[in-house]
Amino acid sequence: MPSKIKNNILTYEGCNYLRYRLLLSTLSGKPVRITNIRIKDDDPGLKEYEVSFIRLLDKITNGSRIELNETGTSLYYSPGLLNGGELEHDCNVQRGIGYYLEGIVILAPFCKKAVDIKLKGITNNTIDPSVDRIKASAVPILKRFLSGDNEIVFTISKRGSAPLGGGEIKFKCPVSRNLRSIQLQDSGMVKRVRGTACSIRVSPAIANRIVESAKGILLKFLTDVYIYTDHCKGASSGKSPGFGVSLSAETTTEVVFGGEAFSPLMTTDSLPCVPEDIGKEAAMKLIDEIYRNGCIDSPFQAMTAVFMALGKKDVSKVVTGPLTPSMIQFLRDLKDFFGIVFKIESLKEEDEILEQVALTCIGVGYTNISKRTL
């Protein structure tokens, strides 16, 4: 639902895009109220994973005020100061670590202290971007905006699949006083494909079968294809079995596209899942992402938009593939919280089926006043 302003508080209805609205509220310092959350559902109110995300925001900030009514259908969030520091969080197993990590990546550069966080939960599932895809596609986008040579550390200590999780990752990101403005208009040509096929608490032969299936498709287009196998057993394998693959295509202009597939949660009613199908699905998703022909991997369009909006008071321009529904709503929410309006141009040519979109904006000159000066 479109926002309304009551008593200087932005008010939204419904549970859609709740995570992005809380992130924008945290960055802008504007309180937000979200009402009528799943009021018509059999199980109304916030889900456990959404409450877990709010707890994570509470940990990374200092002085946040959160009010939730008895049924969980109305939320008031008044953000505190972004503090950062050394943190640890057990992510709810209804969603993957990627759901939480994407929010951390957006907030990390604006904290008072460098973020050094350990997240535990599900590293790979069928809903959220896997930790491999975030490492391959989202972290390079973040590096483009950060000034200085500070290194981002991302390690996958343990893998965990649904339903019990048991995975663990560490993410360390330096703070930045200002973000750079960027010009990213040429996606280049794909020069190599890399990937990781993981088998968690299942036979190591399954990862090899996934690799053979994925390479069978990708080698028709490119010779430089290398997919690593990561067989997890013992303490590093989490608590549930599963298998899947995450692929990334690197271009001549250092743009990274992603595609991934993972085995669905096994139930008594579900059909058996074949490793060859997983490999084929991931390869086709990667090819589809390349076909979209943007300079940004589709799941991270919103992250790129917020970095552009909060950059220096200079023009940033990025070419993407067709905008995702969440990105379209995110641009509307950016206008509510920051007053930023993007110029959106269609770059469709006669011989192309999918249109490219050029996003242009002038940053608000967001300065991290919390950053300690030496």
Side-chain angles (χ1 to χ4, degrees):
M1 289 290 288
S3 66
K4 300 172 186 174
I5 299 177
K6 296 178 182 176
N7 303 324
N8 293 324
I9 299 171
L10 279 164
T11 304
Y12 294 91
E13 284 188 24
C15 62
N16 285 349
Y17 315 108
L18 177 125
R19 178 178 54 143
Y20 283 139
R21 285 165 180 167
L22 293 177
L23 289 172
L24 288 173
S25 171
T26 306
L27 288 169
S28 65
K30 294 180 180 178
V32 65
R33 188 184 302 281
I34 300 171
T35 59
N36 297 341
I37 301 172
R38 298 188 181 92
I39 52 172
K40 295 182 180 178
D41 282 20
D42 295 334
D43 183 18
L46 290 172
K47 300 290 186 187
E48 288 179 28
Y49 66 86
E50 291 166 333
V51 174
S52 179
F53 184 77
I54 293 168
R55 288 199 183 109
L56 178 58
L57 287 180
D58 192 35
K59 286 180 184 177
I60 202 171
T61 57
N62 187 5
S64 292
R65 185 174 153 214
I66 300 154
E67 295 175 9
L68 197 61
N69 68 351
E70 290 181 6
T71 56
T73 54
S74 178
L75 167 70
Y76 172 75
Y77 175 72
S78 177
L81 295 173
L82 275 165
N83 192 44
E86 200 167 324
L87 305 165
E88 188 172 319
H89 186 69
D90 287 325
C91 303
N92 188 274
V93 292
Q94 290 178 349
R95 296 297 289 263
I97 288 177
Y99 176 83
Y100 303 87
L101 185 58
E102 196 181 344
I104 294 296
V105 171
I106 290 173
L107 297 178
F110 308 105
C111 290
K112 181 179 181 180
K113 294 178 275 190
V115 170
D116 184 359
I117 190 166
K118 181 191 290 184
L119 295 174
K120 298 178 181 178
I122 293 172
T123 55
N124 304 74
N125 68 1
T126 55
I127 311 169
D128 306 293
S130 68
V131 291
D132 299 281
R133 189 167 187 176
I134 291 176
K135 185 176 182 178
S137 303
V139 170
I141 295 170
L142 176 60
K143 285 180 178 177
R144 287 179 186 270
F145 286 95
L146 288 180
S147 51
D149 299 323
N150 295 318
E151 190 180 357
I152 296 170
V153 179
F154 193 129
T155 54
I156 303 168
S157 313
K158 300 177 186 176
R159 289 189 183 275
S161 61
L164 300 177
E168 183 181 299
I169 66 110
K170 291 179 182 176
F171 177 70
K172 190 173 183 180
C173 177
V175 293
S176 179
R177 182 167 284 278
N178 296 101
L179 295 182
R180 289 188 289 208
S181 55
I182 67 166
Q183 303 287 324
L184 194 57
Q185 300 176 53
D186 181 16
S187 59
M189 302 291 285
V190 175
K191 61 180 179 179
R192 62 171 168 255
V193 173
R194 294 291 181 265
T196 303
C198 60
S199 51
I200 307 167
R201 288 185 172 270
V202 293
S203 167
I206 285 181
N208 296 329
R209 288 166 62 186
I210 293 173
V211 171
E212 289 302 315
S213 174
K215 287 177 76 173
I217 293 174
L218 295 172
L219 286 173
K220 294 176 183 176
F221 306 98
L222 195 70
T223 54
D224 191 356
V225 179
Y226 195 91
I227 304 172
Y228 303 87
T229 56
D230 184 4
H231 176 58
C232 305
K233 58 184 180 180
S236 64
S237 65
K239 300 173 184 176
S240 299
F243 52 88
V245 61
S246 178
L247 303 171
S248 59
E250 300 169 37
T251 75
T252 49
T253 54
E254 297 184 355
V255 170
V256 182
F257 301 112
E260 61 187 0
F262 199 75
S263 57
L265 183 63
M266 298 294 180
T267 63
T268 52
D269 302 327
S270 64
L271 294 170
C273 181
V274 183
E276 284 78 6
D277 291 347
I278 295 293
K280 183 179 178 182
E281 183 187 343
M284 295 308 293
K285 282 182 176 177
L286 178 66
I287 291 168
D288 183 58
E289 190 61 47
I290 295 168
Y291 176 64
R292 293 169 70 91
N293 197 26
C295 297
I296 301 294
D297 199 15
S298 294
F300 310 113
Q301 288 180 354
M303 185 181 84
T304 307
V306 74
F307 288 153
M308 289 170 67
L310 299 181
K312 291 182 179 178
K313 289 186 178 179
D314 198 0
V315 176
S316 288
K317 187 170 184 178
V318 170
V319 173
T320 73
L323 298 181
T324 60
S326 61
M327 173 63 166
I328 293 167
Q329 182 60 44
F330 187 77
L331 293 175
R332 294 175 184 142
D333 293 343
L334 260 178
K335 183 182 178 184
D336 292 340
F337 283 96
F338 287 99
I340 283 278
V341 180
F342 278 72
K343 181 184 179 185
I344 302 174
E345 301 171 88
S346 173
L347 303 178
K348 186 173 180 179
E349 296 180 7
E350 290 182 6
D351 58 339
E352 291 181 353
I353 299 172
L354 289 180
E355 61 180 352
Q356 286 183 303
V357 178
L359 296 172
T360 312
C361 82
I362 298 175
V364 295
Y366 190 96
T367 304
N368 184 0
I369 54 173
S370 302
K371 183 181 185 293
R372 290 178 173 175
T373 51
L374 297 174

